[in-house]
Amino acid sequence: MPHPNNTIFRPSVLTLTGIPGLESVQFWIGIPFCVMYIIALLGNSLLLVVIKVERSLHEPMYLFLAMLGATDIALSTCILPKMLGIFWFHLPTIYFDACLLQMWLIHTFQCIESGILFAMAMDRYVAICDPLRHASVFTQRLLTQIAVGVTLRAALFVAPCLILIKCRLRLYWTTVVLHSYCEHMAIVKLAAEDIRVNKIYGLFVAFSILGLDIIFITLSYIRIFITVFRLPQKEARLKAFNTCVAHICVFLEFYLLAFFSFFTHRFGFHIPSYIHILLSNLYLLVPPLLNAIVYGVKTKQIRDQVSKILYCNYSL
């Protein structure tokens, strides 16, 4: 309902624009996005099946990879169906509460993924720097606790973002969200009220989860490299380093895209809006795609099992 000062009181429906400035080519942009989603879905599903079926892969490294694959599937599924609805079928409207739910799910899965990458780095740290204690440290009980802890940390830290929008912000300048999905700052900027608390808490979540995770991951890999370079035999160094290559690739592509998207969205005032939106979309769609490819190609045990499954199906 319109407010006297041309604001809107608690709108029930929002409109997602897609990619502002590229509306005429959104249909074609949706094609590679859909292909990326299908490959990510199939690749991560195949990883989950292989890890579940092959008992030799029921080890911490592969179980963490299964958690990462499941998170990637959930994250990309939260964003792409609605995005394609905007690009292909001109369905831009979304209920306000549904938009908040999508926002919460997206940011929660992002934080879960960051926590899993941190757990994977710790697993490699113990495996390389203290291999004799690895089996006793990373028990089944600890893996369960890590999975629950990472999920609860993400859900509880992101939930106040939703609550602050729902409870604090009542008046909005417009119902048009200049984005292709419901992102926290894109919704907050619609408000006609003081949004400093929302901005500060958003920064707090980003730095307390993603920021701390990246610091601890970096420190763990520095310690790993020091240990690897001290190994006397060249073959041992290469083997130890090779087990970390896939993790490093996934770690770099996730955090580089995350922080580039994060800072351009908040401080890149001179960057065109369509660049912001494209970066945000790629940040959510590229990691699920690359994670499946990188681990499938670089991890010999998974590669062998996938080949075995495909060969058996081909023989039948």
Side-chain angles (χ1 to χ4, degrees):
M1 183 174 74
H3 201 264
N5 59 357
N6 295 323
T7 59
I8 302 167
F9 181 77
R10 287 184 172 171
S12 59
V13 177
L14 298 177
T15 301
L16 294 166
T17 60
I19 305 176
L22 297 179
E23 289 88 353
S24 60
V25 294
Q26 283 185 161
F27 179 89
W28 303 107
I29 293 174
I31 295 174
F33 280 8
C34 183
V35 171
M36 292 167 64
Y37 173 66
I38 292 171
I39 295 174
L41 193 63
L42 293 176
N44 285 293
S45 298
L46 185 59
L47 284 179
L48 290 173
V49 170
V50 168
I51 293 170
K52 178 177 174 59
V53 170
E54 183 54 44
R55 296 191 63 83
S56 64
L57 299 181
H58 292 184
E59 298 177 6
M61 184 175 78
Y62 302 110
L63 294 176
F64 284 135
L65 178 55
M67 296 179 202
L68 188 66
T71 304
D72 283 336
I73 291 172
L75 177 59
S76 53
T77 301
C78 283
I79 172 178
L80 203 79
K82 180 58 183 176
M83 189 186 298
L84 294 181
I86 299 169
F87 292 173
W88 289 352
F89 305 109
H90 306 291
L91 300 171
T93 57
I94 184 171
Y95 286 111
F96 186 82
D97 289 341
C99 192
L100 291 183
L101 176 62
Q102 187 193 49
M103 180 202 78
W104 179 74
L105 288 173
I106 288 172
H107 293 313
T108 296
F109 286 128
Q110 287 174 322
C111 294
I112 290 174
E113 183 151 351
S114 178
I116 294 171
L117 291 175
F118 173 48
M120 294 172 81
M122 293 299 100
D123 170 65
R124 290 300 85 201
Y125 170 76
V126 176
I128 293 174
C129 299
D130 197 0
L132 296 179
R133 295 186 61 231
H134 182 263
S136 62
V137 171
F138 280 89
T139 60
Q140 191 67 41
R141 182 180 179 183
L142 179 63
L143 295 181
T144 303
Q145 290 173 342
I146 289 173
V148 173
V150 163
T151 303
L152 287 178
R153 180 188 71 158
L156 295 177
F157 267 75
V158 176
C161 292
L162 186 152
I163 295 169
L164 287 172
I165 293 174
K166 189 70 177 174
C167 297
R168 290 190 71 253
L169 306 180
R170 299 181 180 182
L171 300 177
Y172 293 81
W173 293 117
T174 178
T175 61
V176 178
V177 182
L178 299 177
H179 216 300
S180 54
Y181 63 88
C182 296
E183 195 268 344
H184 177 246
M185 284 305 301
I187 299 173
V188 167
K189 287 178 180 178
L190 303 180
E193 301 177 72
D194 184 5
I195 60 173
R196 282 179 294 179
V197 173
N198 301 75
K199 283 185 173 181
I200 291 170
Y201 188 76
L203 289 170
F204 167 74
V205 172
F207 285 105
S208 61
I209 292 185
L210 299 181
L212 288 178
D213 284 351
I214 196 173
I215 289 171
F216 288 122
I217 291 171
T218 302
L219 291 175
S220 68
Y221 275 112
I222 290 173
R223 187 71 182 87
I224 286 171
F225 287 146
I226 292 173
T227 302
V228 168
F229 288 130
R230 286 178 178 174
L231 293 174
Q233 295 180 341
K234 183 179 179 180
E235 289 184 4
R237 290 199 298 270
L238 289 174
K239 183 178 179 181
F241 183 74
N242 191 54
T243 62
C244 297
V245 169
H247 301 287
I248 294 170
C249 291
V250 170
F251 161 69
L252 288 175
E253 52 92 5
F254 178 81
Y255 285 105
L256 286 177
L257 281 172
F259 281 100
F260 196 61
S261 173
F262 178 83
F263 284 113
T264 55
H265 192 73
R266 283 163 177 78
F267 308 112
F269 302 112
H270 302 295
I271 299 176
S273 61
Y274 66 86
I275 298 293
H276 289 233
I277 310 306
L278 282 173
L279 284 173
S280 298
N281 292 338
L282 291 175
Y283 165 48
L284 294 182
L285 294 173
V286 170
L289 170 70
L290 290 184
N291 290 354
I293 294 174
V294 168
Y295 282 109
V297 172
K298 289 299 298 178
T299 308
K300 184 178 184 300
Q301 293 88 334
I302 293 176
R303 192 170 64 243
D304 291 344
Q305 291 303 319
V306 170
S307 300
K308 187 176 175 183
I309 290 173
L310 294 176
Y311 177 75
C312 290
N313 290 337
Y314 177 77
S315 300
L316 292 173

